[in-house]
Amino acid sequence: MPVPAAAPSQPQHSASYGSQGFTTSCDTACDELYDDGCDSIGRRRYLSGLFGRQSARQGSGRTWGRVEALLWWAEDRDSPALISTNPDFGTRPVVPDVSNAGTSVLFGGQNGIESDMMIGNRIDFGSYLDNDHTYGIGGRVYGLWSGGDSVSVSSNGSGPSYGVPFFDVAAVPPLGPGLGVAIGTFGLLPIGQDLGGGQVVTGNVSATSELDFIGSEVYARALMARTADFRVDLIGGYTFHSLDDSIILQGRSILNNTVAGNLSPQNIYDFRDAFDAENTFHGGQIGFETQVVKGRFMFSSLTKVHLGNMNQRVRISGNSQYETVGGGVLTSGDRGLLVQGNGGVYERDTFTFAPEANVKLGYRVCKCATFNVGYSLMMWSDVALAGNHIDNRIDSTRTEAGLNSPTRTNVPNFEFDTDSFFLHGLDLGLTFTY
């Protein structure tokens, strides 16, 4: 929005005679910095706005536009451990069960999923409806992309072992210590294992997460109070937000026989699990924006809350294939490793509030342009995230030879598991008035 002009309370005028005739140095300086020249300074300072008398015409541009680059970070997201490794060797490589000494988690687990810096843009534009800058309308459009993380590992059977930890509820006795997790002894994992008898498991596994956010707003603003170097505006309007979080886990396991010192593939197992959570918010907003101007410097703060409906949609899908070399595909199915009976699309609506705060420091580089640097924080009270909907309990009665066979238990299963979530970061931009 336009930056209100400010000036010393005791202006001084000086004159000089140049080649073009008599000039007033004060007028020249003021015209470069203030919208009304020297007429804008020395005004009586009184509060005005919705609850008081109106001040004289400000004279600055009625239309504003702000373009910003966003350098933000996302809160770490929860996820069960999806890839683990163990570099230790005994007679054979140690299975990367999280209960074994030396095992570390490469993706997910206790520390969650860390996002890289998210880069985006924000555009704010609008116009006042009167010359006194009492009422105005505006809009904002913004987005953040590439807030993800990825891990990809492979083994030829001679290096560290890798695995996807899970808990097999159908095994007798159950695999894993108590309610812990265990590395599967069928399907993909563990890879990088010497099973003895000349059999070696090779393969690869990868996990990728993506987080994207877009938003748009239409708002009105009304002047609450102002002085020569200070103003407060009431802001209200409509808000749209879309927050999309996804995790893809996929891999290949190859059981090899050792023939004359070389690995000969026998059985190949491929799988892909996909978890996607979409959050779509429609609602209203209300808040305040405060600005203080001292000379060429400007400080502003924006605090508001968005209130409305959050539509949460979670999509879970998987596929897998088991084949023998020379024997063709034995079976394929619409289940993955951690996606079995829990595949499908799940949707619900819930009330959500989203507080937002922003502070900015600006420097007016010329009459109509101000450089800004600031910090923003945005939070939602109820968000569905992909990692919260991964159930790492499986039923091993689904064997390679019967990927689509009925299971003995109802796991993995689905239920909504939501939590609060926030984004925050730095803003760099330019504000134009005309």
Side-chain angles (χ1 to χ4, degrees), residues 96-110:
D97 189 325
V98 294
S99 64
N100 287 339
T103 296
S104 59
V105 175
L106 301 180
F107 191 94
Q110 220 172 22

Side-chain angles (χ1 to χ4, degrees), residues 1-2 49-52 54 61-64 126-138 219-224 226 231-234:
M1 62 169 287
L50 290 179
F51 307 112
Q54 298 298 317
R62 287 175 55 173
T63 303
W64 72 87
S127 179
Y128 285 106
L129 303 179
D130 61 332
N131 291 329
D132 285 322
H133 296 181
T134 306
Y135 303 100
I137 56 174
Y219 63 87
R221 63 188 315 132
L223 176 67
M224 299 289 292
R226 70 177 162 201
R231 71 177 287 152
V232 178
D233 289 85
L234 173 67

Side-chain angles (χ1 to χ4, degrees), residues 142-228:
Y142 40 89
L144 295 162
W145 298 273
S146 301
D149 190 18
S150 63
V151 171
S152 180
V153 294
S154 62
S155 175
N156 60 7
S158 61
S161 60
Y162 300 101
V164 173
F166 59 79
F167 182 73
D168 187 353
V169 298
V172 182
L175 295 177
L179 294 178
V181 295
I183 293 299
T185 55
F186 74 97
L188 170 76
L189 300 164
I191 60 177
Q193 291 288 293
D194 180 353
L195 303 179
Q199 290 189 319
V200 176
V201 181
T202 62
N204 59 78
V205 62
S206 65
T208 303
S209 71
E210 288 289 340
L211 179 67
D212 298 311
F213 168 63
I214 60 173
S216 60
E217 304 173 22
V218 177
Y219 63 87
R221 63 188 315 132
L223 176 67
M224 299 289 292
R226 70 177 162 201
T227 65

Side-chain angles (χ1 to χ4, degrees), residues 267-340:
N267 300 328
I268 301 174
Y269 174 68
D270 294 283
F271 88 98
R272 184 181 187 272
D273 294 337
F275 304 83
D276 184 75
E278 300 175 356
N279 301 270
T280 304
F281 175 87
H282 294 275
Q285 59 171 274
I286 187 168
F288 297 92
E289 184 176 46
T290 302
Q291 290 196 16
V292 179
V293 176
K294 293 295 183 182
R296 287 183 178 266
F297 290 94
M298 179 273 293
F299 172 80
S300 69
S301 66
L302 173 66
T303 55
K304 58 183 176 180
V305 61
H306 310 266
L307 304 164
N309 179 74
M310 181 75 84
N311 176 263
Q312 299 171 342
R313 180 178 297 177
V314 178
R315 291 185 175 90
I316 299 176
S317 61
N319 57 76
S320 53
Q321 179 175 288
Y322 179 68
E323 62 182 299
T324 59
V325 175
V329 176
L330 293 183
T331 184
S332 61
D334 57 359
R335 298 178 179 180
L337 182 65
L338 301 182
V339 177
Q340 296 182 21

Side-chain angles (χ1 to χ4, degrees), residues 1-3 31-35 60-61 63-66 296 363-371 430-434:
M1 62 169 287
V3 179
D31 285 342
E32 293 178 353
L33 182 57
Y34 306 113
D35 295 314
S60 58
T63 303
W64 72 87
R66 178 182 295 133
R296 287 183 178 266
Y363 180 76
R364 195 168 189 181
V365 295
C366 65
K367 183 177 180 179
C368 61
T370 302
F371 174 75
L430 280 172
T431 301
F432 301 93
T433 58
Y434 52 93

